[in-house]
Tab-separated table of all heavy atoms in Angstrom:
chain	number	residue	atom	x	y	z
A	398	ASN	N	-6.165	-12.392	7.844
A	398	ASN	CA	-7.018	-12.736	8.993
A	398	ASN	C	-6.251	-12.852	10.299
A	398	ASN	O	-6.849	-12.924	11.371
A	398	ASN	CB	-7.848	-14.001	8.716
A	398	ASN	CG	-7.032	-15.283	8.754
A	398	ASN	OD1	-5.802	-15.263	8.782
A	398	ASN	ND2	-7.717	-16.420	8.727
A	399	LEU	N	-4.920	-12.853	10.250
A	399	LEU	CA	-4.134	-12.818	11.480
A	399	LEU	C	-3.746	-11.394	11.879
A	399	LEU	O	-3.284	-11.159	12.994
A	399	LEU	CB	-2.869	-13.668	11.335
A	399	LEU	CG	-3.098	-15.184	11.251
A	399	LEU	CD1	-1.771	-15.911	11.071
A	399	LEU	CD2	-3.832	-15.700	12.475
A	421	PHE	N	5.046	-17.716	1.395
A	421	PHE	CA	5.558	-18.717	2.330
A	421	PHE	C	4.382	-19.555	2.813
A	421	PHE	O	3.360	-19.019	3.241
A	421	PHE	CB	6.228	-18.038	3.532
A	421	PHE	CG	6.567	-18.980	4.664
A	421	PHE	CD1	7.783	-19.642	4.692
A	421	PHE	CD2	5.658	-19.195	5.707
A	421	PHE	CE1	8.106	-20.501	5.744
A	421	PHE	CE2	5.973	-20.043	6.759
A	421	PHE	CZ	7.202	-20.709	6.765
A	422	ASN	N	4.519	-20.873	2.742
A	422	ASN	CA	3.537	-21.800	3.292
A	422	ASN	C	4.215	-22.603	4.387
A	422	ASN	O	5.199	-23.306	4.130
A	422	ASN	CB	3.003	-22.754	2.220
A	422	ASN	CG	1.968	-22.092	1.323
A	422	ASN	OD1	0.826	-21.909	1.706
A	422	ASN	ND2	2.396	-21.724	0.120
A	423	GLY	N	3.704	-22.507	5.600
A	423	GLY	CA	4.337	-23.227	6.697
A	423	GLY	C	3.340	-23.771	7.684
A	423	GLY	O	2.123	-23.562	7.575
A	424	LYS	N	3.869	-24.475	8.677
A	424	LYS	CA	3.062	-25.061	9.738
A	424	LYS	C	3.347	-24.340	11.059
A	424	LYS	O	4.508	-24.098	11.412
A	424	LYS	CB	3.389	-26.549	9.901
A	424	LYS	CG	3.033	-27.396	8.683
A	424	LYS	CD	1.532	-27.512	8.500
A	424	LYS	CE	1.190	-28.454	7.339
A	424	LYS	NZ	-0.284	-28.547	7.122
A	425	ALA	N	2.286	-24.036	11.780
A	425	ALA	CA	2.420	-23.295	13.037
A	425	ALA	C	3.056	-24.150	14.127
A	425	ALA	O	2.683	-25.314	14.320
A	425	ALA	CB	1.051	-22.815	13.506
A	450	MET	N	6.560	-22.294	11.028
A	450	MET	CA	6.331	-20.893	11.371
A	450	MET	C	6.103	-20.838	12.877
A	450	MET	O	5.044	-21.233	13.382
A	450	MET	CB	5.127	-20.304	10.629
A	450	MET	CG	4.771	-18.867	11.058
A	450	MET	SD	6.122	-17.659	10.861
A	450	MET	CE	5.980	-17.285	9.109
A	518	ILE	N	-4.631	-19.611	16.980
A	518	ILE	CA	-3.873	-20.558	16.146
A	518	ILE	C	-3.526	-21.787	16.981
A	518	ILE	O	-3.195	-21.682	18.167
A	518	ILE	CB	-2.575	-19.913	15.614
A	518	ILE	CG1	-2.876	-18.603	14.871
A	518	ILE	CG2	-1.829	-20.875	14.701
A	518	ILE	CD1	-1.624	-17.829	14.492
A	519	GLU	N	-3.591	-22.956	16.362
A	519	GLU	CA	-3.223	-24.191	17.043
A	519	GLU	C	-2.038	-24.850	16.354
A	519	GLU	O	-1.749	-24.579	15.168
A	519	GLU	CB	-4.417	-25.151	17.093
A	519	GLU	CG	-5.555	-24.629	17.968
A	519	GLU	CD	-6.696	-25.628	18.118
A	519	GLU	OE1	-6.642	-26.705	17.473
A	519	GLU	OE2	-7.642	-25.331	18.880
A	520	GLU	N	-1.332	-25.682	17.094
A	520	GLU	CA	-0.163	-26.391	16.579
A	520	GLU	C	-0.504	-27.091	15.265
A	520	GLU	O	-1.499	-27.807	15.154
A	520	GLU	CB	0.305	-27.424	17.608
A	520	GLU	CG	1.641	-28.055	17.317
A	520	GLU	CD	2.827	-27.208	17.754
A	520	GLU	OE1	2.617	-26.200	18.476
A	520	GLU	OE2	3.965	-27.548	17.388
A	521	GLY	N	0.328	-26.877	14.248
A	521	GLY	CA	0.155	-27.539	12.964
A	521	GLY	C	-0.751	-26.816	11.987
A	521	GLY	O	-0.901	-27.263	10.837
A	522	ASP	N	-1.380	-25.733	12.403
A	522	ASP	CA	-2.217	-24.957	11.480
A	522	ASP	C	-1.378	-24.477	10.296
A	522	ASP	O	-0.160	-24.283	10.398
A	522	ASP	CB	-2.825	-23.743	12.187
A	522	ASP	CG	-4.077	-24.086	12.976
A	522	ASP	OD1	-4.514	-25.248	12.939
A	522	ASP	OD2	-4.611	-23.177	13.656
A	523	ASP	N	-2.058	-24.252	9.182
A	523	ASP	CA	-1.394	-23.766	7.971
A	523	ASP	C	-1.273	-22.243	8.019
A	523	ASP	O	-2.278	-21.543	8.134
A	523	ASP	CB	-2.193	-24.175	6.733
A	523	ASP	CG	-2.288	-25.684	6.581
A	523	ASP	OD1	-1.231	-26.331	6.579
A	523	ASP	OD2	-3.426	-26.207	6.486
A	524	ILE	N	-0.040	-21.758	7.924
A	524	ILE	CA	0.228	-20.319	7.948
A	524	ILE	C	0.751	-19.902	6.583
A	524	ILE	O	1.720	-20.480	6.068
A	524	ILE	CB	1.263	-19.954	9.025
A	524	ILE	CG1	0.827	-20.475	10.396
A	524	ILE	CG2	1.484	-18.447	9.046
A	524	ILE	CD1	-0.465	-19.879	10.922
A	525	ILE	N	0.102	-18.916	5.995
A	525	ILE	CA	0.475	-18.451	4.654
A	525	ILE	C	0.850	-16.974	4.728
A	525	ILE	O	0.063	-16.138	5.185
A	525	ILE	CB	-0.679	-18.638	3.646
A	525	ILE	CG1	-1.091	-20.116	3.589
A	525	ILE	CG2	-0.268	-18.140	2.262
A	525	ILE	CD1	-2.396	-20.347	2.877
A	526	VAL	N	2.054	-16.680	4.303
A	526	VAL	CA	2.506	-15.296	4.156
A	526	VAL	C	2.518	-14.988	2.665
A	526	VAL	O	3.270	-15.608	1.908
A	526	VAL	CB	3.914	-15.089	4.753
A	526	VAL	CG1	4.351	-13.636	4.595
A	526	VAL	CG2	3.952	-15.512	6.221
A	533	ILE	N	-1.077	-12.051	5.943
A	533	ILE	CA	-0.725	-13.266	6.665
A	533	ILE	C	-2.026	-13.913	7.115
A	533	ILE	O	-2.870	-13.270	7.739
A	533	ILE	CB	0.197	-12.985	7.871
A	533	ILE	CG1	-0.311	-11.814	8.716
A	533	ILE	CG2	1.615	-12.731	7.419
A	533	ILE	CD1	0.483	-11.594	9.996
A	534	ASN	N	-2.186	-15.179	6.776
A	534	ASN	CA	-3.432	-15.875	7.061
A	534	ASN	C	-3.183	-17.228	7.696
A	534	ASN	O	-2.168	-17.883	7.424
A	534	ASN	CB	-4.238	-16.080	5.772
A	534	ASN	CG	-4.799	-14.781	5.227
A	534	ASN	OD1	-5.653	-14.164	5.848
A	534	ASN	ND2	-4.308	-14.361	4.059
A	535	CYS	N	-4.119	-17.643	8.535
A	535	CYS	CA	-4.190	-19.003	9.038
A	535	CYS	C	-5.380	-19.655	8.348
A	535	CYS	O	-6.527	-19.190	8.514
A	535	CYS	CB	-4.377	-19.012	10.554
A	535	CYS	SG	-4.681	-20.646	11.243
A	536	SER	N	-5.122	-20.689	7.562
A	536	SER	CA	-6.186	-21.296	6.743
A	536	SER	C	-7.350	-21.777	7.592
A	536	SER	O	-8.528	-21.599	7.230
A	536	SER	CB	-5.617	-22.465	5.938
A	536	SER	OG	-4.609	-22.025	5.061
A	537	GLN	N	-7.064	-22.395	8.734
A	537	GLN	CA	-8.129	-22.954	9.578
A	537	GLN	C	-9.060	-21.862	10.096
A	537	GLN	O	-10.269	-22.086	10.241
A	537	GLN	CB	-7.510	-23.725	10.750
A	537	GLN	CG	-6.943	-25.085	10.387
A	537	GLN	CD	-5.631	-25.004	9.611
A	537	GLN	OE1	-5.003	-23.947	9.543
A	537	GLN	NE2	-5.225	-26.111	9.006
A	538	LEU	N	-8.527	-20.677	10.353
A	538	LEU	CA	-9.353	-19.604	10.911
A	538	LEU	C	-10.204	-18.900	9.863
A	538	LEU	O	-11.011	-18.025	10.195
A	538	LEU	CB	-8.469	-18.585	11.639
A	538	LEU	CG	-7.761	-19.103	12.895
A	538	LEU	CD1	-6.921	-18.007	13.530
A	538	LEU	CD2	-8.755	-19.674	13.905
A	539	LEU	N	-10.047	-19.284	8.604
A	539	LEU	CA	-10.944	-18.768	7.567
A	539	LEU	C	-12.328	-19.394	7.679
A	539	LEU	O	-13.307	-18.870	7.150
A	539	LEU	CB	-10.359	-19.044	6.175
A	539	LEU	CG	-9.085	-18.273	5.818
A	539	LEU	CD1	-8.489	-18.800	4.516
A	539	LEU	CD2	-9.352	-16.784	5.716
A	547	ARG	N	-13.045	-21.882	18.626
A	547	ARG	CA	-11.777	-21.602	19.311
A	547	ARG	C	-11.871	-20.350	20.164
A	547	ARG	O	-11.328	-20.288	21.269
A	547	ARG	CB	-10.644	-21.476	18.293
A	547	ARG	CG	-10.295	-22.777	17.591
A	547	ARG	CD	-9.063	-22.597	16.703
A	547	ARG	NE	-8.770	-23.798	15.938
A	547	ARG	CZ	-7.741	-23.917	15.096
A	547	ARG	NH1	-6.907	-22.885	14.922
A	547	ARG	NH2	-7.534	-25.031	14.438
Side-chain angles (χ1 to χ4, degrees):
N398 74 349
L399 291 178
F421 170 88
N422 282 283
K424 296 291 184 182
M450 175 58 81
I518 305 172
E519 293 185 356
E520 190 82 11
D522 278 357
D523 298 306
I524 305 297
I525 302 167
V526 180
I533 47 174
N534 290 294
C535 173
S536 299
Q537 284 74 13
L538 294 180
L539 292 171
R547 292 186 185 181

